[in-house]
Amino acid sequence: MATDRYYLTEVDKHSDSIYCHHDLMGELLIPQHYHNKAQFLYVEGGIAYVKTDISTYFLPARHYMWIPPGVKHSIHPNSEDVMMRNLYFPVEKKDVAFYEEEGIYPVNDLLLNLLLFTNRWKGDLYKGSRNYIVAKALKVLLPDISGKNLSLSLPLAKDARLIKITDYIASHIGDAISFEDLAKRFGLSTRTLHRLFVKDLGMSFMQFFTISRMLRAVELLQDKSMPVSEVALAVGYNSLPTFSNIFYKMLGQRPSEYANGRNILSE
């Protein structure tokens, strides 16, 4: 692992500063690391996967992830051209419970405008400075404006049998996979397979399959090469209203709204 990356050498150098870094990713992997500061991560122009020891989070454009201090994570963008904005905040005694939980949230207009205001910042922001005050205001607002913590993560399978099964699901995301057929294909009873999902992943097969489909849909919508109706079919939905409703439940936006979203950092 390189030892001269800003996230290893600069973020925690001054414990009381807010550290700012925004730029093109420029690489397809930021290897596992952690900070003593909490991290606000926002991306545009693509998708980033954030892997912790227990889950893989899916961070689509126009959403942000809050990563509490001390959480080991790696970042895997789907392109070197993904635009990334990071703000790292020191821990404060008066921090509320919101800041202690990993989460992914949609970015509303107020937060977009605050981010646009900070577009040219880089490095440490110190107490008393105008930029520090604006960044601190952004943090203070997060619990009130972020809404629901979206279920944009998939736990990592640990059981060898389930790793093969989840790999199969990922490669057949648009197929009509029934639970019974899946159990038969891998030589398991439906009861055993259900127990595997619940014990190892903390969710049912249908929950896992639905989330996997929606995350694939986000990738396709971000690519902008298909209309929404074709994206729905590509991830296994013959009914566009059903697809739209499930997408909205997970991401807080309709597929058409997401596909037509604004990229402020590239403007």
Side-chain angles (χ1 to χ4, degrees), residues 40-103:
F40 172 101
L41 172 61
Y42 173 84
V43 300
E44 277 192 346
I47 296 157
Y49 297 89
V50 181
K51 295 184 179 182
T52 68
D53 287 338
I54 59 174
S55 287
T56 296
Y57 291 89
F58 184 95
L59 181 58
R62 297 180 301 279
H63 290 69
Y64 82 87
M65 182 172 182
W66 182 263
I67 305 173
V71 173
K72 292 181 180 179
H73 60 282
S74 57
I75 302 173
H76 310 252
N78 68 339
S79 166
E80 293 181 358
D81 296 325
V82 171
M83 181 68 80
M84 175 179 63
R85 178 184 301 283
N86 293 288
L87 289 169
Y88 300 87
F89 296 94
V91 178
E92 298 180 272
K93 291 182 180 179
K94 60 182 178 180
D95 280 344
V96 298
F98 173 90
Y99 301 112
E100 299 173 0
E101 182 181 358
E102 299 163 20

Side-chain angles (χ1 to χ4, degrees), residues 65-211:
M65 182 172 182
W66 182 263
I67 305 173
V71 173
K72 292 181 180 179
H73 60 282
S74 57
I75 302 173
H76 310 252
N78 68 339
S79 166
E80 293 181 358
D81 296 325
V82 171
M83 181 68 80
M84 175 179 63
R85 178 184 301 283
N86 293 288
L87 289 169
Y88 300 87
F89 296 94
V91 178
E92 298 180 272
K93 291 182 180 179
K94 60 182 178 180
D95 280 344
V96 298
F98 173 90
Y99 301 112
E100 299 173 0
E101 182 181 358
E102 299 163 20
I104 293 177
Y105 306 88
V107 174
N108 64 15
D109 287 344
L110 174 57
L111 199 49
L112 278 175
N113 284 309
L114 283 170
L115 288 170
L116 185 58
F117 184 81
T118 69
N119 196 34
R120 299 188 182 279
W121 295 358
K122 193 168 186 178
D124 289 294
L125 312 176
Y126 295 104
K127 289 182 180 179
S129 69
R130 176 171 173 267
N131 290 353
Y132 182 96
I133 293 170
V134 174
K136 181 68 179 294
L138 183 149
K139 177 192 173 185
V140 170
L141 286 169
L142 291 180
D144 296 321
I145 67 175
S146 294
K148 180 183 178 182
N149 188 345
L150 301 176
S151 300
L152 298 180
S153 68
L154 284 174
L156 300 174
K158 296 175 285 295
D159 187 287
R161 294 168 294 177
L162 202 54
I163 290 173
K164 293 180 180 179
I165 292 168
T166 54
D167 286 345
Y168 176 82
I169 291 171
S171 61
H172 294 80
I173 209 70
D175 296 346
I177 302 174
S178 76
F179 188 61
E180 292 75 15
D181 289 345
L182 189 66
K184 184 178 180 180
R185 172 178 288 275
F186 287 91
L188 300 170
S189 69
T190 54
R191 185 177 181 182
T192 298
L193 184 56
H194 175 72
R195 285 179 174 175
L196 267 180
F197 269 94
V198 173
K199 181 180 179 181
D200 202 20
L201 301 180
M203 62 179 62
S204 68
F205 157 74
M206 186 52 65
Q207 288 173 308
F208 183 88
F209 193 29
T210 299
I211 293 172

Side-chain angles (χ1 to χ4, degrees), residues 213-245:
R213 281 177 156 180
M214 290 302 107
L215 298 187
R216 177 59 180 151
V218 170
E219 291 181 320
L220 294 174
L221 290 169
Q222 180 68 37
D223 187 52
K224 298 184 183 296
S225 61
M226 293 183 183
V228 172
S229 58
E230 290 185 15
V231 170
L233 290 172
V235 297
Y237 289 89
N238 293 319
S239 167
L240 183 56
T242 298
F243 168 69
S244 180
N245 288 337

